[in-house]
């Protein structure tokens, strides 16, 4: 598995955006989404600050302000599990406990095999079908322990 974006890949992604400050957030999302480890590396931050003509400190301020960005490597599959009050009432806490005890997944940490990172988020906007989660860009709703296990086992099997 590729671990980093190379210079050409980074520049190719940045070239999709006009070098104006109003496009920084979108460019950062695209860079992070294309990175195999779903994070903004030091090299990405260097190229991005130069491209948008801002200091690295200013860019770092943006990246650390928004919780959807990460400056540390994450798993190939980024699990964002909703912890909103509605999802909590519908059982998301049980899902978190299950992930911890059965999959050794802790919030904001990556599994030892590098496949999964669990992030708890405030709201995914799927309250009518709670509890819900997003894995990378795929939305899952009406979750229960069995459904969660099937989803993760299917992902794990595709990696074998």
């Amino acid at each position: 598995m590729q671990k980093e974006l190379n210079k050409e890949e980074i520049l190719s992604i940045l070239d999709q955006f006009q070098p104006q400050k109003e496009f920084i957030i979108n460019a950062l999302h695209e860079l992070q989404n294309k990175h195999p480890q779903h994070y903004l590396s030091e090299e990405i931050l260097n190229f991005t600050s130069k491209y948008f003509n801002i200091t690295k400190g200013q860019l770092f301020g943006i990246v650390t302000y928004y919780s959807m960005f990460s400056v540390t490597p994450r798993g190939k599959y980024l699990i964002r599990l909703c912890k909103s009050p509605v999802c909590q009432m519908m059982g998301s806490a049980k899902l978190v406990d299950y992930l911890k005890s059965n999959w050794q997944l802790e919030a904001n940490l990556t599994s030892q095999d590098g496949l999964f990172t669990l992030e708890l988020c405030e709201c995914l906007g799927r309250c009518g079908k709670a509890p819900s989660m997003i894995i990378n860009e795929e939305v899952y709703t009406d979750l229960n322990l069995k459904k969660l296990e099937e989803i993760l086992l299917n992902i794990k099997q595709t990696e074998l």
Side-chain angles (χ1 to χ4, degrees):
M1 176 175 88
Q2 178 187 358
K3 289 288 187 186
E4 290 292 334
L5 293 177
N6 63 42
K7 176 182 177 179
E8 292 76 25
E9 291 170 319
I10 295 168
L11 294 175
S12 174
I13 292 167
L14 288 171
D15 283 341
Q16 297 173 29
F17 301 91
Q18 294 177 16
Q20 298 166 346
K21 289 183 173 103
E22 60 261 29
F23 298 108
I24 292 173
I25 300 282
N26 291 336
L28 290 170
H29 277 296
E30 188 67 16
L31 287 160
Q32 182 171 273
N33 289 342
K34 297 288 187 206
H35 194 289
Q37 292 181 291
H38 303 284
Y39 84 111
L40 298 167
S41 67
E42 186 78 19
E43 186 174 32
I44 288 172
L45 295 176
N46 287 335
F47 281 113
T48 303
S49 68
K50 289 175 188 165
Y51 185 81
F52 285 102
N53 196 28
I54 62 173
T55 67
K56 233 174 103 183
Q58 290 171 312
L59 185 61
F60 193 76
I62 294 167
V63 168
T64 56
Y65 178 79
Y66 293 101
S67 63
M68 293 296 273
F69 294 127
S70 178
V71 293
T72 57
R74 298 187 284 188
K76 182 175 181 180
Y77 297 94
L78 181 56
I79 302 169
R80 290 188 174 113
L81 183 63
C82 186
K83 66 174 187 171
S84 73
V86 172
C87 280
Q88 288 281 332
M89 289 187 306
M90 299 303 288
S92 67
K94 288 179 185 174
L95 299 176
V96 172
D97 292 342
Y98 169 81
L99 290 170
K100 184 176 182 178
S101 63
N102 293 59
W103 289 80
Q104 290 70 50
L105 288 174
E106 301 271 350
N108 302 313
L109 295 177
T110 299
S111 60
Q112 288 186 350
D113 60 9
L115 277 183
F116 300 106
T117 298
L118 174 63
E119 292 184 352
L120 304 179
C121 56
E122 288 305 320
C123 185
L124 298 175
R126 306 282 194 236
C127 299
K129 294 185 175 198
S132 61
M133 73 177 174
I134 297 175
I135 299 180
N136 293 352
E137 310 221 359
E138 184 80 25
V139 177
Y140 300 91
T141 59
D142 294 318
L143 293 171
N144 56 47
L145 296 177
K146 183 179 179 190
K147 190 173 180 180
L148 178 60
E149 181 177 18
E150 288 173 5
I151 293 165
L152 296 180
L153 286 173
N154 284 337
I155 290 171
K156 192 91 166 167
Q157 283 191 316
T158 65
E159 293 299 319
L160 296 178

